[in-house]
Amino acid sequence: MATGAAAWFPFARAAAIGWMPVASCPMPLAPRDNSKKQDELIMLNVSGRRFQTWRTTLDRYPDTLLGSSEKDFFYNEETKEYFFDRDPDVFRSILNFYRTGKLHYPRHECISSYDEELTFFGIIPEIIGDCCYEEYKDRKRESLERLQDDQEENKDAKLPNMNIRQTMWRAFEYPHTSTMALVFYYVTGFFIAVSVITNVIETVPCGATPHRKDMPCGERYTVAFFCMDTACVMIFTVEYLLRLFAAPSRYRFMRSVMSIIDVVAILPYYIGLVMTNNEDVSGAFVTLRVFRVFRIFKFSRHSQGLRILGYTLKSCASELGFLLFSLTMAIIIFATVMFYAEKGSSSTKFTSIPASFWYTIVTMTTLGYGDMVPKTIAGKIFGSICSLSGVLVIALPVPVIVSNFSRIYHQNQRADKRRAQKKTRLTRIRIAKSGSANAFLQSKRNGLLNELLELTGTRELEQRLIRSTSVLESQHHHLLRCLEKTTAHEFVDEHVFEQNCLESTLQSYPSHSSSLSSQDSDTFCCCGRRSGTRNPLPHSRDSVAPVSPLGPLQELSALHIQSSQLSLHPSSRSNLNLRAEDSIRINCKGGRVTTAIISLPSPPSLREGHHHHHGPPQRRATPSIQTTTSSTPTSIIKVSAL
Amino acid sequence: MKSRSQEQSLSDSRELDRSHDPLTGSVIDEGELFTVSYRPEGLDRLVQQTNFSKKELQILYRGFKNECPNGVVNEETFKSIYSQFFPQGDSSTYAHFLFDAFDSQNNGAVNFEDFVISLSIILRGSTADKLAWAFNLYDINKDGCITREEMTDIVTSIYDMMGKYTYPCINDSDAKEHVDNFFRKMDQNKDGVVTIDEFLESCQKDENIIQSMMMFDNVI
């Protein structure tokens, strides 16, 4: 039931009284409507703009948000209104739908935002009224095409495991993906051009020599041209065979237009090779040479414009067909008329109707060579009619073809533009993303440093380090830390990760102490984390947690934080705010476990003791901050920033 | 007072855009026939004339005006509204009869007053009134008696509303049987027509009919 018909439902029920006297069976009981509310006004507050409507208006469509009990979720008790945090402009259309039963699409709205609102309020877009439906569909199709184009470009992304065939095919189809492909692309283009030019020059008369008459270059330098031809054909053959090999579906490839062009381009040569100078077939052989000109079509792989043109012609097939048909009709008509008009005159060139075809075509296309002209008056009259109509007949289908071409061309331009913009867009997005990731890492460091600084009592740096983070940010960071804790891994950024991997492959591990081996062995992959390291870490006044062998997993996070604090240079304390590059290096296989020892530039006696006890290799950092809180050798002290 | 030339040019322009028919001299408006909008007399008068309360009339009018902004329902709109409630079958014939029953002034349009007066009878009237209204509905030519043909038409139109997919299948004899039953029940003097008195008498004797007449009383 749609439209305001719901308002007329009581009438329909009442009208059923007409059936009662005629009824053959007793009627069923009517359903009880116990909730007999009086119709009341409902207040809808959409982002501050207030809309009011009757409850029954909304009840007309019970399978939408506003018509069902779903809106109770948005009820605000204090203000006694339904509050929706959505776009009020689009809401206008939606509310009008309830009122009038027709959903209109406001043309100035973005199609995707409109769709979102419709989905939110549970209205299917199919019920958009006829007045706006076409526009809606057009816009929707456009946006879908755009999305599709974007997705297609994502396919350009490198697939991890491609065998030779797939790599080759990708190189052939998308030459911009690799340098090799680009080289191949240009080489083939060059040879196509060379081949075409030689074909052309072959026929140019080369200049007469005293003992020979003027002959075309092709016959003068037969050998040279033959070598050139052979070279080109060999390249083309090799290219064709490579493509055939790399094609994912060979059968489909062989049927495609481009491959047919390739074959037609190289076949004449081979046929010429195979056939000897047999007089009978040499005529046919000469004809075959004509096909060499098809090599120029191979350029369509290199030129997008050519492809667009071809595609346009294909898509305008019906218009072209119509053009051809109407032209043929007109030609036949006018040729007949001209023939009979000129029949009377003597020595006329219009010897037959087919002979008149030539005149008609030349006249209709306004060429007017002048080799055939009508001489009789009737002939001249009909000739002029013929030329006038020719202009019309040709001019009619052409705009359709042109508009098709323009549309396809612009679509292509748009795709190219988008591809170019995409790079910058992606970089910007990546920067933003890494910004947030870095923020997290930064905050971790800051948090740790804050704690450290607290215990050392140096407040000056603290001021610098305290960053005002919003509540949302801090909650987000907390969430990320929970994730880290769960998986016992940590977030690092790209550079560090790569560096780690690089280092792990380069470095040997001479300083692995025995204690290390006694601890849990490397149980993780390159990206995992070494477990079981312990570190004597200076700890704040807070609790000292004794660490079990499994505990180190947790510790490691602390560990990493620590190491990020390390300044690898003998520099001042101010270097504590390290860049991300100097941070975590543990993530690689067999990566060295670095202790984060933050010790004050005081005699590191305490540290030594710790080291000795839990002997993983350390990376000394001087100066480092060491707490003065002592820790017994047995207890593991860690500074947990998490 | 238009001068001749002005009149001439006016009619010329009307001829050019073909809105003026020189034969009949009438202005053919390509829009709706009923461009005049109709307003009901007044809420209070309607409250007096019908058995509805003010609030009920307000609700009714809002629905009515929503569907027909110009204040009158013509038969096409009537049929389209009614057909929305019976999507399976063809309700246009029955809607036509209903329209005739509602259209008390027989001018091809149902305005709000007609609408609400009929509804008042159906929903708030006495049983006798309701039966009289039903009789009026069945009496297609409004001559005071229901003939067999009229009844057959009515019954066929009701069966048409059922549509094709019914169980058991509707065949042509069903309607005829139905009409025969009806006449057997109602036509007491067996003269082939049912008058209003016969109708009222027979219906009031039938408990089922009386019961069902009261079923839709609280629809509004």
Side-chain angles (χ1 to χ4, degrees):
Chain A
M1 248 189 333
T3 76
W8 284 59
F9 190 50
F11 150 73
R13 292 181 78 197
I17 212 171
W19 310 334
M20 302 305 153
V22 211
S24 32
C25 331
M27 291 288 142
L29 284 173
R32 293 217 144 268
D33 186 10
N34 285 327
S35 66
K36 199 81 205 285
K37 292 199 278 248
Q38 287 289 359
D39 203 5
E40 52 177 9
L41 274 178
I42 295 191
M43 175 90 84
L44 299 163
N45 183 348
V46 182
S47 303
R49 211 190 291 180
R50 286 192 166 71
F51 298 88
Q52 284 181 309
T53 181
W54 296 109
R55 178 178 289 279
T56 47
T57 313
L58 294 182
D59 287 342
R60 281 189 201 152
Y61 299 100
D63 53 352
T64 58
L65 186 151
L66 290 172
S68 66
S69 57
E70 199 183 337
K71 62 180 186 284
D72 295 338
F73 287 99
F74 299 91
Y75 189 66
N76 186 347
E77 290 290 347
E78 297 140 35
T79 53
K80 295 256 181 284
E81 60 187 15
Y82 293 90
F83 181 76
F84 298 97
D85 202 5
R86 311 290 297 187
D87 188 0
D89 289 326
V90 181
F91 189 75
R92 263 186 57 235
S93 319
I94 290 181
L95 196 54
N96 275 336
F97 165 62
Y98 287 89
R99 294 187 181 130
T100 64
K102 289 213 226 34
L103 181 61
H104 293 283
Y105 168 58
R107 278 159 175 71
H108 56 268
E109 286 290 342
C110 169
I111 184 76
S112 46
S113 82
Y114 188 72
D115 258 349
E116 269 178 36
E117 296 295 314
L118 284 187
T119 322
F120 180 83
F121 286 103
I123 300 173
I124 45 173
E126 270 65 36
I127 49 183
I128 291 184
D130 287 336
C131 42
C132 302
Y133 193 60
E134 232 183 87
E135 170 87 15
Y136 173 81
K137 271 292 177 212
D138 283 342
R139 298 271 289 261
K140 190 99 190 262
R141 202 177 0 106
E142 259 182 55
S143 80
L144 276 180
E145 277 176 5
R146 282 210 187 122
L147 284 177
Q148 253 181 10
D149 282 344
D150 278 343
Q151 277 175 9
E152 272 175 17
E153 275 142 40
N154 283 337
K155 284 196 268 179
D156 266 0
K158 211 171 200 181
L159 305 156
N161 310 319
M162 288 199 298
N163 53 17
I164 294 285
R165 248 180 98 175
Q166 286 169 332
T167 340
M168 273 174 68
W169 183 248
R170 255 190 92 234
F172 283 138
E173 292 297 302
Y174 307 103
H176 55 268
T177 48
S178 79
T179 349
M180 230 7 244
L182 217 52
V183 165
F184 184 76
Y185 176 79
Y186 283 123
V187 162
T188 43
F190 173 71
F191 272 99
I192 295 174
V194 160
S195 159
V196 168
I197 292 177
T198 41
N199 281 346
V200 165
I201 292 188
E202 237 181 359
T203 59
V204 172
C206 251
T209 58
H211 55 277
R212 271 195 245 181
K213 64 173 175 43
D214 203 8
M215 52 163 57
C217 282
E219 290 177 26
R220 200 154 156 200
Y221 304 101
T222 324
V223 177
F225 279 104
F226 182 73
C227 293
M228 198 67 113
D229 205 23
T230 314
C232 293
V233 169
M234 280 213 302
I235 303 264
F236 295 153
T237 319
V238 163
E239 182 205 350
Y240 180 71
L241 289 174
L242 280 179
R243 275 185 206 264
L244 190 61
F245 167 67
S249 156
R250 299 220 170 101
Y251 176 64
R252 209 155 57 98
F253 172 74
M254 287 182 65
R255 280 193 325 183
S256 74
V257 176
M258 289 309 305
S259 91
I260 292 179
I261 292 179
D262 288 339
V263 168
V264 168
I266 60 179
L267 219 45
Y269 176 80
Y270 289 111
I271 294 180
L273 273 188
V274 165
M275 288 198 307
T276 57
N277 274 339
N278 197 344
E279 277 303 317
D280 298 337
V281 292
S282 72
F285 173 56
V286 167
T287 323
L288 274 179
R289 291 184 127 203
V290 166
F291 284 100
R292 289 189 304 177
V293 81
F294 277 93
R295 286 179 198 165
I296 209 172
F297 283 118
K298 285 168 69 79
F299 265 129
S300 58
R301 274 218 184 87
H302 298 253
S303 155
Q304 209 178 30
L306 259 183
R307 274 204 298 267
I308 294 176
L309 190 60
Y311 186 63
T312 311
L313 290 176
K314 196 162 61 151
S315 72
C316 301
S318 61
E319 278 81 28
L320 283 175
F322 166 67
L323 174 62
L324 223 56
F325 176 69
S326 58
L327 266 180
T328 315
M329 249 178 45
I331 289 173
I332 294 180
I333 291 175
F334 279 108
T336 315
V337 166
M338 290 307 295
F339 171 70
Y340 284 111
E342 286 288 301
K343 199 159 181 194
S345 110
S346 58
S347 71
T348 182
K349 291 228 172 75
F350 293 80
T351 50
S352 64
I353 295 187
S356 314
F357 280 169
W358 174 243
Y359 168 76
T360 320
I361 293 176
V362 167
T363 313
M364 280 188 100
T365 51
T366 70
L367 274 177
Y369 287 134
D371 53 352
M372 281 166 85
V373 281
K375 295 211 172 59
T376 61
I377 296 187
K380 286 188 181 162
I381 293 176
F382 287 117
S384 37
I385 298 178
C386 174
S387 61
L388 286 174
S389 65
V391 172
L392 271 179
V393 167
I394 290 181
L396 281 177
V398 167
V400 178
I401 298 175
V402 165
S403 77
N404 257 355
F405 178 77
S406 162
R407 180 175 58 86
I408 297 175
Y409 184 71
H410 281 126
Q411 211 175 8
N412 237 298
Q413 292 293 78
R414 220 181 20 199
D416 284 343
K417 220 193 314 174
R418 242 181 315 165
R419 216 176 297 150
Q421 287 172 349
K422 199 168 186 202
K423 290 206 165 127
T424 34
R425 259 183 72 210
L426 281 180
T427 347
R428 262 187 278 137
I429 290 174
R430 209 181 313 134
I431 290 177
K433 275 204 196 145
S434 65
S436 72
N438 280 342
F440 176 52
L441 298 173
Q442 184 80 12
S443 80
K444 283 203 292 193
R445 286 199 296 271
N446 286 347
L448 176 61
L449 273 174
N450 278 343
E451 291 187 26
L452 287 178
L453 286 173
E454 263 176 47
L455 59 91
T456 61
T458 52
R459 295 278 165 213
E460 324 130 21
L461 287 175
E462 210 179 328
Q463 305 319 97
R464 271 205 284 154
L465 296 177
I466 290 176
R467 259 180 12 151
S468 57
T469 55
S470 66
V471 174
L472 199 63
E473 255 189 64
S474 54
Q475 286 173 345
H476 184 221
H477 292 170
H478 171 254
L479 188 65
L480 290 173
R481 280 189 221 121
C482 292
L483 181 59
E484 285 181 339
K485 286 288 197 179
T486 317
T487 56
H489 293 315
E490 258 195 15
F491 293 110
V492 291
D493 68 6
E494 278 185 57
H495 309 288
V496 177
F497 176 68
E498 281 165 19
Q499 271 177 328
N500 290 346
C501 287
L502 224 55
E503 274 190 6
S504 64
T505 53
L506 293 175
Q507 285 171 357
S508 56
Y509 320 115
S511 47
H512 273 206
S513 69
S514 54
S515 61
L516 185 59
S517 52
S518 70
Q519 292 166 7
D520 313 358
S521 50
D522 304 10
T523 50
F524 50 88
C525 65
C526 182
C527 305
R529 175 171 317 188
R530 173 176 296 281
S531 56
T533 57
R534 306 185 182 189
N535 290 295
L537 300 171
H539 188 52
S540 63
R541 282 154 244 136
D542 301 344
S543 59
V544 173
V547 175
S548 63
L550 295 171
L553 286 177
Q554 282 184 337
E555 268 188 329
L556 275 174
S557 41
L559 181 65
H560 281 206
I561 303 303
Q562 307 310 322
S563 60
S564 71
Q565 310 311 319
L566 294 181
S567 148
L568 299 175
H569 328 288
S571 47
S572 67
R573 272 193 320 216
S574 56
N575 262 15
L576 284 171
N577 265 342
L578 287 178
R579 304 176 310 281
E581 290 89 51
D582 293 333
S583 64
I584 303 130
R585 298 187 180 281
I586 289 190
N587 271 355
C588 295
K589 197 179 198 122
R592 299 151 43 129
V593 173
T594 58
T595 56
I597 298 181
I598 302 179
S599 49
L600 293 167
S602 55
S605 51
L606 221 56
R607 198 179 50 195
E608 288 302 328
H610 289 233
H611 281 183
H612 183 69
H613 185 82
H614 315 278
Q618 305 156 7
R619 183 171 297 162
R620 296 274 183 93
T622 58
S624 44
I625 303 175
Q626 189 187 31
T627 63
T628 47
T629 49
S630 63
S631 46
T632 63
T634 49
S635 64
I636 313 295
I637 300 169
K638 63 179 168 113
V639 179
S640 166
L642 305 175
Chain B
M1 197 111 44
K2 284 198 209 143
S3 70
R4 186 170 286 247
S5 57
Q6 263 187 322
E7 259 188 50
Q8 186 67 24
S9 60
L10 194 60
S11 70
D12 276 348
S13 72
R14 275 206 234 122
E15 260 187 63
L16 272 173
D17 64 42
R18 285 202 268 134
S19 67
H20 180 252
D21 185 2
L23 230 55
T24 63
S26 61
V27 176
I28 304 168
D29 198 343
E30 287 185 358
E32 274 189 33
L33 282 170
F34 292 99
T35 49
V36 184
S37 83
Y38 184 87
R39 276 194 197 100
E41 286 285 341
L43 193 51
D44 299 322
R45 259 197 70 182
L46 279 177
V47 171
Q48 284 169 353
Q49 281 178 328
T50 66
N51 296 335
F52 288 121
S53 73
K54 212 167 181 174
K55 257 222 149 70
E56 290 167 337
L57 280 174
Q58 280 178 337
I59 296 175
L60 278 172
Y61 187 67
R62 282 205 299 269
F64 185 85
K65 184 102 176 149
N66 233 339
E67 195 59 24
C68 319
N70 58 354
V72 288
V73 196
N74 55 5
E75 194 165 334
E76 285 311 309
T77 322
F78 200 86
K79 282 187 180 168
S80 74
I81 294 171
Y82 205 71
S83 66
Q84 279 167 31
F85 299 108
F86 303 100
Q88 300 99 328
D90 174 27
S91 54
S92 50
T93 332
Y94 187 68
H96 167 76
F97 295 138
L98 265 184
F99 187 80
D100 284 341
F102 270 81
D103 184 12
S104 50
Q105 294 157 15
N106 278 327
N107 54 358
V110 170
N111 58 18
F112 183 64
E113 275 147 347
D114 297 334
F115 179 70
V116 107
I117 287 172
S118 294
L119 268 189
S120 155
I121 298 176
I122 297 175
L123 299 176
R124 300 271 193 269
S126 64
T127 316
D129 285 339
K130 293 181 192 175
L131 287 170
W133 192 88
F135 184 85
N136 188 37
L137 171 69
Y138 299 148
D139 185 9
I140 298 176
N141 54 4
K142 315 279 180 242
D143 62 353
C145 50
I146 307 177
T147 63
R148 210 167 257 269
E149 291 79 25
E150 289 174 343
M151 206 56 222
T152 314
D153 286 341
I154 298 273
V155 170
T156 322
S157 70
I158 295 180
Y159 273 97
D160 282 343
M161 278 200 286
M162 294 288 294
K164 210 166 52 155
Y165 304 106
T166 57
Y167 176 77
C169 275
I170 297 176
N171 39 16
D172 299 325
S173 55
D174 285 346
K176 197 166 169 311
E177 254 183 65
H178 206 117
V179 173
D180 290 337
N181 283 341
F182 179 78
F183 266 84
R184 218 174 305 138
K185 201 163 53 168
M186 303 281 168
D187 189 9
Q188 272 141 14
N189 57 1
K190 307 288 177 224
D191 59 353
V193 293
V194 178
T195 62
I196 178 87
D197 305 310
E198 287 175 341
F199 185 71
L200 284 171
E201 226 186 289
S202 324
C203 286
Q204 269 155 355
K205 280 194 274 192
D206 190 339
E207 261 308 307
N208 277 338
I209 295 181
I210 301 295
Q211 200 75 12
S212 50
M213 280 287 175
M214 298 196 285
M215 191 158 64
F216 292 115
D217 276 354
N218 50 2
V219 152
I220 297 289

